[in-house]
């Protein structure tokens, strides 16, 4: 006797315009295109969700949400490129010594505004990269040690890659969507 099972529908697949980094490129192009690829991938992980879904803690007890990751990545762009690399005198975003986790735990505010700010910080980071050599240095505030733009770009690629993995799981828990 053969048992019949109902086929399980494939989960929805995320898709959208995104360009793979060139497989043959110089160092600057490889770093720049890789970082852009990960920025766009993060954006695709959030696509099509309403503000409540973006702020949903889908893997309790974790405080991770897509909205929180968005706020975190916005702050990271500002912190590394603007405050530490170029030395701009700006306040931190979504962070204070009294509440260092507020990017993940304090989700007040409009999600569209959060995306607009992230886009703005990414645009400023792109300007900084374009105007700087890979050997140019910034200074780590915590130690006073120098770091190169090359090192910073590698760090940011790792930052985005790590958080995209988290975003994959969060998104799949919200609506089953996978991919991109």
């Amino acid at each position: 006797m053969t048992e019949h099972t109902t086929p399980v529908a494939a989960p929805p697949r995320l898709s959208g315009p995104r360009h793979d980094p060139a497989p043959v490129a110089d160092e600057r192009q490889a770093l720049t295109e890789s970082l852009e690829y990960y920025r766009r991938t993060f954006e695709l992980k959030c696509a099509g969700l309403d503000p409540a879904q973006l702020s949903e803690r889908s893997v309790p007890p974790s405080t991770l949400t897509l909205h929180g990751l968005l706020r975190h990545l916005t702050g990271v762009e500002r912190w590394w490129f603007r405050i530490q690399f170029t030395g701009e005198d700006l306040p931190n975003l979504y962070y204070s010594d009294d509440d260092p986790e507020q990017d993940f735990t304090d989700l007040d505010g409009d999600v569209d505004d959060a995306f607009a700010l992230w886009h703005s910080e990414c645009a400023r980071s792109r300007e900084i990269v374009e105007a700087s050599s890979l050997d140019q240095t910034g200074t780590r505030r915590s130690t006073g040690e120098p770091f190169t733009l090359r090192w910073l770009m590698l760090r940011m690629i790792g930052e985005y890659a790590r958080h995209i993995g988290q975003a994959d799981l969060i998104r799949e828990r919200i609506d089953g969507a996978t991919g991109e």
Side-chain angles (χ1 to χ4, degrees):
M1 183 172 189
T2 305
E3 195 174 309
H4 294 285
T5 59
T6 305
V8 176
R13 296 278 300 165
L14 297 169
S15 64
R18 181 180 63 162
H19 302 286
D20 286 338
V24 177
D26 66 23
E27 183 180 22
R28 175 178 284 280
Q29 181 183 358
L31 291 169
T32 301
E33 289 181 2
S34 293
L35 182 52
E36 285 305 315
Y37 176 86
Y38 285 120
R39 285 174 176 147
R40 179 67 181 135
T41 300
F42 176 73
E43 191 166 27
L44 289 169
K45 298 292 177 194
C46 299
L49 296 177
D50 64 37
Q53 290 171 308
L54 289 167
S55 297
E56 182 179 327
R57 290 184 175 142
S58 62
V59 189
S62 173
T63 60
L64 285 178
T65 65
L66 293 171
H67 186 183
L69 286 171
L70 170 64
R71 290 165 52 102
H72 175 72
L73 290 169
T74 304
V76 166
E77 291 272 355
R78 176 178 281 196
W79 172 249
W80 281 104
F81 283 103
R82 298 180 74 182
I83 296 173
Q84 293 199 104
F85 185 72
T86 66
E88 292 180 40
D89 185 20
L90 298 167
N92 280 315
L93 296 171
Y94 317 119
Y95 175 88
S96 70
D97 289 339
D98 294 336
D99 189 3
E101 297 295 317
Q102 67 181 276
D103 44 1
F104 296 112
T105 59
D106 180 9
L107 298 180
D108 293 340
D110 184 88
V111 174
D112 290 336
D113 290 344
F115 269 107
L117 185 55
W118 177 65
H119 284 126
S120 175
E121 290 297 328
C122 289
R124 180 66 181 118
S125 296
R126 285 183 201 100
E127 291 170 358
I128 291 166
V129 168
E130 190 170 312
S132 306
S133 79
L134 293 176
D135 293 322
Q136 188 171 333
T137 60
T139 304
R140 290 187 81 150
R141 287 210 169 168
S142 62
T143 64
E145 295 175 323
F147 62 88
T148 64
L149 177 60
R150 175 184 297 103
W151 178 89
L152 171 54
M153 292 185 73
L154 287 168
R155 182 179 182 96
M156 291 299 292
I157 289 166
E159 182 85 16
Y160 273 91
R162 180 174 53 257
H163 292 312
I164 288 166
Q166 295 165 330
D168 279 334
L169 296 173
I170 295 167
R171 178 63 188 255
E172 189 171 3
R173 289 282 296 156
I174 291 170
D175 67 358
T178 61
E180 288 295 317

